[in-house]
Amino acid sequence: MMTQLKVQNPDSYLLEMNGISKSFPGVKALDNVHLKVRPHTVHALMGENGAGKSTLMKCLFGIYQHDEGEIIFNNEKIHFRNPRQALDNGVSMVHQELNQVQERSVMENIWLGRFPMKGIVVDRKKMYNDTKKIFDDLSIDIDPNALVGSLSVSQRQMVEIAKAVSSNAKIIVFDEPTSSLTEVEVKHLFRIIDRLRNDGCGIIYISHKLEEILEISDEVTVLRDGKWVYTGSSKDLDIDKLITLIVGRELTNRFPSRKSKPSDEIILRVENLAGEYMPTVVDASFELRKGEILGVAGLMGSRRTETIETLFGLRKRKGGVIKLKGKQIENNNPREAISNGFALLTEERRETGIFPTLDITFNSIIANIDNYTNKFGILNEKKIAEDTKWVIDTLSVKTPGSKTKIQNLSGGNQQKVIMGRWLLTEPTIMLLDEPTRGIDVGAKYDIYELIIECAEKGNAIIFISSEMPELLGISDRIMVMSNGRVAGIVDAKTTTQEELLRLASKYL
């Protein structure tokens, strides 16, 4: 049953999207959707992957043209034909997927398409000064002349936020802005959003992180299956109510329960692991037990990702010893790591996880391709089809078929395919870097169940996450990284977020 829209003062809206519908061949992505945003507010837009959130925002931003309905901005009916029109008229968007020119400087990316000119020449001094002023105003410590490709994911995210602010927008859409940020960086972002809210902006905030939605937002709108289902004050909601609205059913627990505990058998021992080229892991020693989920926490610059990439052979190892089941191994490169039973699910799903223009079949079997060829190099198409079907069926991938391009799936379903890809290699050690990043609460639960199931079958799992609740919720122990070193390893059942943050600051 639909909840009635709670309207306090309809004359105070900065943006109204009324009765928006949008269809694509074979699917109605939006069906009579409403969104009303007031100035001086943060309005959260929530829903599962595929609920229609991104489609609605693309209709606002001029990327898509809606089929029905109207958009009223600043008391005027508008219909942007492209994103440039939206930007010029005060509507800006910070996209979840970073589409930046990595070979160009930070300031060039911010002012791309609207460079300040001095006659017929770009005024680089003004561009630098304008960028520096925005950075100083937002307390962002990034060199405007630095190449975007040299920045971390979180720094690149901050560049996109500065770009949105630079357009003097009245409506700013934040699409999963904290998906690659640490706790400290999230607090910084929230200070920026508070400032924008106080300045009179209307913020549309899209996120799957329920705690931060309740912390930062004033109002919440929920979409489900392309339809509007709820709009109301954040004060009237709690996490359980939000989950029920989003998934359309109650989830009795946010995290699945474990049926078994890790064994005492040490399956992996890492001693004084160090990488060759900075920034990298400096000194990491730890043990991993059979059937254990070892969570990894840390702030920006803690080198969590660098640690597991060095372990997997993606980064050159300078020193340290890796022992698998008591036997010393090298893992000099990913192929060697895979042959030793390691699997790596990378943080950046779009850039380093999927082959976006290729189908689910290719994305499922590529890490295990040697197992599908005979001595003459001929592929076993029957085995490929069987294993792809296994991935789709076992992991409940929502797709029309195995030949669907993976880029057409939701983020959660893309992640399931990648997980399936690695499971086909029958790994002993699974290295998971932010496996639930940008995934809705329902799909997250599915991923948690899959991770726990793998652990119960005897896999040993290293699980990196920037979300403290999920680290505490599914890990057996948590290893805290600080500036490339292991700051401590604690029991997930007895530790606290405060202890994790204290350890994360140990070597700063």
Side-chain angles (χ1 to χ4, degrees):
M1 182 177 177
M2 298 294 183
T3 304
Q4 292 298 309
L5 189 66
K6 300 177 182 179
V7 178
Q8 298 175 8
N9 181 5
D11 296 327
S12 65
Y13 293 120
L14 178 61
L15 172 71
E16 296 180 61
M17 302 184 75
N18 300 316
I20 304 298
S21 296
K22 175 65 179 178
S23 294
F24 298 99
V27 61
K28 191 160 191 175
L30 297 173
D31 185 3
N32 193 31
V33 171
H34 307 279
L35 177 67
K36 301 175 186 288
V37 181
R38 308 172 194 276
H40 295 284
T41 64
V42 175
H43 195 116
L45 181 60
M46 304 199 70
E48 293 186 281
N49 290 110
K53 306 183 301 296
S54 294
T55 302
L56 184 65
M57 291 300 94
K58 288 176 180 178
C59 288
L60 168 64
F61 205 53
I63 298 173
Y64 294 156
Q65 305 303 310
H66 54 277
D67 302 328
E68 300 174 15
E70 64 176 9
I71 302 176
I72 299 172
F73 176 53
N74 263 342
N75 296 316
E76 292 185 9
K77 189 173 180 179
I78 55 97
H79 197 131
F80 300 135
R81 294 294 175 185
N82 53 61
R84 181 58 188 264
Q85 279 190 3
L87 282 169
D88 290 344
N89 285 277
V91 177
S92 186
M93 188 170 180
V94 179
H95 297 272
Q96 176 187 358
E97 304 292 354
L98 300 172
N99 293 308
Q100 296 167 318
V101 185
Q102 297 196 41
E103 296 77 18
R104 308 304 298 179
S105 70
V106 166
M107 64 182 185
E108 287 172 314
N109 272 270
I110 288 177
W111 302 101
L112 191 65
R114 51 199 178 103
F115 290 153
M117 304 298 292
K118 183 185 290 184
I120 61 172
V121 179
V122 174
D123 191 341
R124 299 190 65 84
K125 182 177 180 181
K126 176 175 171 53
M127 183 161 56
Y128 178 91
N129 290 335
D130 289 350
T131 304
K132 193 72 169 65
K133 184 177 184 304
I134 294 169
F135 282 0
D136 291 344
D137 198 28
L138 301 178
S139 300
I140 295 174
D141 184 20
I142 298 175
D143 180 3
N145 283 317
L147 289 181
V148 164
S150 70
L151 304 181
S152 67
V153 176
S154 57
Q155 288 175 316
R156 289 171 57 194
Q157 188 77 281
M158 285 297 175
V159 170
E160 283 298 288
I161 292 167
K163 181 178 181 179
V165 172
S166 74
S167 65
N168 296 315
K170 292 297 182 186
I171 289 285
I172 302 180
V173 181
F174 287 87
D175 188 359
E176 292 287 350
T178 65
S179 60
S180 59
L181 303 185
T182 63
E183 294 282 330
V184 172
E185 293 164 332
V186 169
K187 286 180 169 51
H188 182 196
L189 172 65
F190 283 2
R191 287 193 294 270
I192 293 173
I193 289 176
D194 278 336
R195 202 212 74 179
L196 295 171
R197 173 165 47 191
N198 293 336
D199 288 345
C201 287
I203 308 294
I204 300 174
Y205 192 92
I206 301 173
S207 177
H208 296 304
K209 298 182 180 180
L210 306 182
E211 287 89 354
E212 70 181 32
I213 287 294
L214 296 179
E215 178 182 350
I216 193 64
S217 68
D218 302 293
E219 294 180 290
V220 175
T221 288
V222 178
L223 305 183
R224 192 190 312 138
D225 299 326
K227 296 180 174 64
W228 168 86
V229 296
Y230 177 88
T231 296
S233 171
S234 303
K235 295 177 181 178
D236 297 333
L237 296 169
D238 57 28
I239 287 177
D240 290 338
K241 289 180 182 177
L242 263 180
I243 290 174
T244 301
L245 285 166
I246 292 167
V247 303
R249 66 186 190 279
E250 288 190 22
L251 291 179
T252 53
N253 294 297
R254 287 185 62 193
F255 305 102
S257 58
R258 290 283 297 269
K259 297 175 184 176
S260 62
K261 294 182 179 180
S263 75
D264 293 330
E265 179 187 349
I266 295 173
I267 200 166
L268 178 70
R269 179 177 278 111
V270 177
E271 301 171 357
N272 306 115
L273 185 70
E276 179 72 30
Y277 305 111
M278 293 298 290
T280 189
V281 56
V282 177
D283 185 6
S285 298
F286 60 90
E287 296 173 347
L288 187 62
R289 300 180 179 93
K290 184 177 181 180
E292 181 179 27
I293 302 173
L294 177 66
V296 185
L299 305 175
M300 175 186 172
S302 63
R303 312 290 186 257
R304 297 172 302 171
T305 294
E306 288 83 353
T307 299
I308 64 169
E309 287 183 349
T310 303
L311 198 56
F312 192 69
L314 267 178
R315 292 172 179 266
K316 189 173 181 180
R317 180 159 50 93
K318 180 180 180 180
V321 175
I322 305 171
K323 292 182 179 179
L324 180 66
K325 299 178 181 179
K327 179 183 177 183
Q328 185 168 331
I329 60 172
E330 296 302 324
N331 283 7
N332 289 312
N333 54 62
R335 178 177 287 275
E336 188 177 328
I338 292 170
S339 69
N340 284 325
F342 285 71
L344 172 63
L345 191 148
T346 59
E347 176 185 10
E348 286 296 299
R349 180 171 59 242
R350 181 179 178 184
E351 291 188 12
T352 58
I354 64 171
F355 296 84
T357 60
L358 298 177
D359 61 20
I360 292 172
T361 296
F362 182 90
N363 277 276
S364 296
I365 59 96
I366 185 59
N368 207 31
I369 193 67
D370 289 345
N371 282 4
Y372 303 106
T373 55
N374 62 21
K375 62 182 180 180
F376 302 109
I378 299 173
L379 287 173
N380 186 335
E381 298 287 352
K382 182 181 178 182
K383 177 63 173 171
I384 289 173
E386 288 174 351
D387 281 0
T388 303
K389 186 177 185 301
W390 179 88
V391 169
I392 293 171
D393 293 346
T394 304
L395 279 68
S396 301
V397 179
K398 294 180 182 178
T399 174
S402 62
K403 297 306 178 184
T404 300
K405 290 181 180 178
I406 196 170
Q407 66 183 4
N408 294 332
L409 302 184
S410 68
N413 285 298
Q414 289 178 7
Q415 200 74 308
K416 288 179 182 180
V417 172
I418 302 173
M419 289 282 285
R421 172 199 301 169
W422 288 114
L423 290 176
L424 288 173
T425 68
E426 299 182 349
T428 303
I429 309 291
M430 298 182 70
L431 311 174
L432 309 180
D433 195 352
E434 301 283 4
T436 67
R437 179 185 172 197
I439 293 176
D440 65 73
V441 64
K444 276 187 178 182
Y445 194 87
D446 292 341
I447 296 294
Y448 297 149
E449 283 190 317
L450 182 59
I451 292 170
I452 289 173
E453 183 182 337
C454 288
E456 290 177 342
K457 288 180 177 177
N459 296 100
I461 297 164
I462 298 178
F463 175 77
I464 294 177
S465 176
S466 298
E467 295 189 43
M468 295 280 192
E470 72 176 13
L471 280 176
L472 295 168
I474 74 164
S475 302
D476 297 300
R477 294 183 300 150
I478 299 175
M479 178 171 70
V480 185
M481 299 291 296
S482 178
N483 205 22
R485 296 173 173 83
V486 175
I489 300 176
V490 296
D491 189 320
K493 301 300 180 286
T494 58
T495 191
T496 63
Q497 293 193 32
E498 289 74 21
E499 182 180 21
L500 295 179
L501 287 171
R502 178 177 57 78
L503 287 170
S505 304
K506 184 174 181 179
Y507 295 118
L508 299 184

